[in-house]
Amino acid sequence: MDKDRDELASAERRNFLKLTAAGGFTAAVVAGAAGTLWSDRAAAQTAREEREREKAADHVMTIATAYVLGASRSYPIMQLDLKENIQNATNGKVYVKLAPGGQLGAGGALAQKVQAGTIQAAHHSLSNFAPFAPAVDLINMPYFCGSNQRFTNLVTSQTWKDTVHPKVEASGFKALFYVVIDPRVVAIRKGGNPVFVPADLSGVKFRVPGSKMLQQYYRMVGANPTPVAWGETPAAIKQGVADALDPSVGALYVFGFKDILSHVTFTQAVPDSQVYSCNLEWFNGLPGDVQDGIEWASEMTAHQNLAKVPSARTYAMAELIKAGVQFHSLSEDQLAEWKAAGGYQRSEWDPFKVELAGSMEAFARLEEAAGTRGRYYVHDA
């Protein structure tokens, strides 16, 4: 059995390297995602199909992400689905070349490459739009759009499109679609106690990113905000430099935190929000029917993303539970305590509302959009 497994793994490695060496990295990752790398014949067929698609296409679209293709099992960014949908919806006029796994960078670096036109599209955090459209940062205002449904309501609303998209487009981006992952959670390192109400965070060293709003929020709910760079966070949690952190469950799993955590609580304060962006100049240079195809493909993939959210969360939870992590959901009364202690309705947030939305009236319009269910439904943790 072990010998057979080793032979399969060897064949997969050999075919992956063979395809990559032949210039077919996308073919290699597509074959890997399909589970056909073990077969010389199947891998060769995949490579041939990808070459034929690229040769027949009028346009090549490179889409880069920081995540390996298999990440969608627990972190539903749907990059392979987006590739297939764009190719099919444009009737083969666009060939999508995937660059997954951070091979072209991650986060802000990918957003910069899209803006510069170095690549045509990328997946990155929505916060990377904030320098160009300050209203984007409102997503980090606690309980404004923390639940999946409120976030989806907001970013698919006409109010959001009228407020945010012109500024994003003025900076050279086109938003293809917004990716729902799940809300951020309260995750406690091994040896810590479960958290149900803000009082449970008293004295807890809470790892926070650079966001001023998130730092203020965790201070308001009783924690001790501790800024730590993302790359240093696992070590900080292991060593006790920080006691807690707040990514989504899917992110906790995909970034390897499962063995250093004890408790995870769903507080639904802030979304783990992502977006696929495209270089606007490149997009505008495409024929109208191709533009329509890319937009339809993006909408299709958005629907697939929303449908995938609960199963991705369930898989990530199951894997963390195997490692001994315990999960906790809040009662209505407990959730009300969090909102009362740090929610966006408090006056402490008013300066942010004016700064980011432009006025309290403009914020009120966005607030109404977040609370108004549109055509999209998504499951909440």
Side-chain angles (χ1 to χ4, degrees):
M1 179 68 75
D2 288 342
K3 182 181 178 184
D4 291 344
R5 190 180 295 116
D6 289 344
E7 287 177 353
L8 279 175
S10 177
E12 288 177 344
R13 283 193 298 272
R14 183 178 67 249
N15 284 323
F16 185 89
L17 293 171
K18 187 189 298 182
L19 291 173
T20 304
F25 182 83
T26 295
V29 295
V30 169
T36 57
L37 278 175
W38 60 271
S39 165
D40 291 352
R41 181 180 297 176
Q45 180 179 340
T46 298
R48 184 169 60 253
E49 289 174 356
E50 289 297 312
R51 282 196 303 271
E52 289 171 356
R53 282 184 170 188
E54 184 171 7
K55 186 177 180 181
D58 298 326
H59 314 276
V60 175
M61 181 181 188
T62 297
I63 301 179
T65 78
Y67 300 90
V68 298
L69 283 182
S72 286
R73 191 175 186 186
S74 64
Y75 201 80
I77 65 169
M78 320 305 286
Q79 52 190 321
L80 189 57
D81 297 276
L82 182 59
K83 167 184 165 65
E84 287 291 317
N85 289 339
I86 289 174
Q87 290 174 170
N88 294 334
T90 61
N91 294 312
K93 293 179 181 178
V94 174
Y95 174 75
V96 174
K97 188 173 288 188
L98 291 176
Q103 60 175 280
L104 296 182
L110 290 181
Q112 289 169 11
K113 283 183 167 69
V114 171
Q115 188 179 32
T118 308
I119 56 178
Q120 287 71 49
H123 164 272
H124 52 81
S125 169
L126 187 49
S127 63
N128 293 125
F129 275 170
F132 317 113
V136 164
D137 240 358
L138 288 169
I139 60 168
N140 286 324
M141 191 168 288
Y143 297 102
F144 173 57
C145 63
S147 70
N148 289 334
Q149 191 63 58
R150 284 183 66 88
F151 173 73
T152 301
N153 294 346
L154 178 66
V155 298
T156 58
S157 70
Q158 194 59 47
T159 303
W160 178 268
K161 292 172 184 174
D162 292 343
T163 303
V164 172
H165 285 192
K167 295 176 182 177
V168 168
E169 290 173 3
S171 298
F173 294 97
K174 175 180 175 60
L176 293 178
F177 75 97
Y178 296 91
V179 181
V180 176
I181 302 297
D182 242 355
R184 293 174 179 267
V185 299
V186 171
I188 305 295
R189 69 188 293 262
K190 275 199 180 300
N193 297 315
V195 170
F196 296 102
V197 293
D200 295 333
L201 281 182
S202 179
V204 169
K205 299 188 294 290
F206 208 109
R207 180 268 169 188
V208 291
S211 167
K212 291 181 180 178
M213 276 194 286
L214 288 177
Q215 291 180 25
Q216 175 168 306
Y217 168 63
Y218 287 114
R219 195 174 294 113
M220 289 170 71
V221 294
N224 177 18
T226 306
V228 178
W230 178 244
E232 300 168 8
T233 299
I237 295 292
K238 285 180 185 176
Q239 296 163 10
V241 174
D243 304 312
L245 70 164
D246 72 344
S248 65
V249 173
L252 290 173
Y253 173 70
V254 82
F255 287 107
F257 285 92
K258 68 176 185 176
D259 294 319
I260 56 177
L261 300 175
S262 57
H263 296 277
V264 170
T265 304
F266 293 103
T267 57
Q268 295 191 352
V270 176
D272 180 356
S273 48
Q274 314 282 320
V275 67
Y276 275 95
S277 71
C278 178
N279 179 274
L280 183 64
E281 184 178 0
W282 177 81
F283 181 85
N284 286 342
L286 298 171
D289 64 321
V290 175
Q291 292 183 14
D292 291 344
I294 291 175
E295 290 189 325
W296 170 226
S298 299
E299 183 172 345
M300 278 193 284
T301 315
H303 282 285
Q304 290 174 295
N305 160 246
L306 297 179
K308 182 72 174 176
V309 167
S311 61
R313 179 197 312 128
T314 302
Y315 173 73
M317 287 178 65
E319 292 300 305
L320 267 67
I321 288 169
K322 284 181 192 174
V325 179
Q326 297 180 52
F327 285 87
H328 311 282
S329 295
L330 301 179
S331 68
E332 287 297 322
D333 288 344
Q334 290 168 335
L335 190 58
E337 284 195 48
W338 290 90
K339 292 179 179 178
Y344 74 93
Q345 79 286 348
R346 292 178 61 109
S347 61
E348 291 96 328
W349 297 111
D350 288 352
F352 286 102
K353 295 173 187 175
V354 174
E355 177 188 352
L356 299 175
S359 68
M360 292 297 284
E361 292 75 16
F363 176 80
R365 289 192 292 272
L366 290 164
E367 180 184 16
E368 182 182 5
T372 304
R373 169 89 173 270
R375 57 186 292 205
Y376 299 95
Y377 165 78
V378 59
H379 186 268
D380 266 302

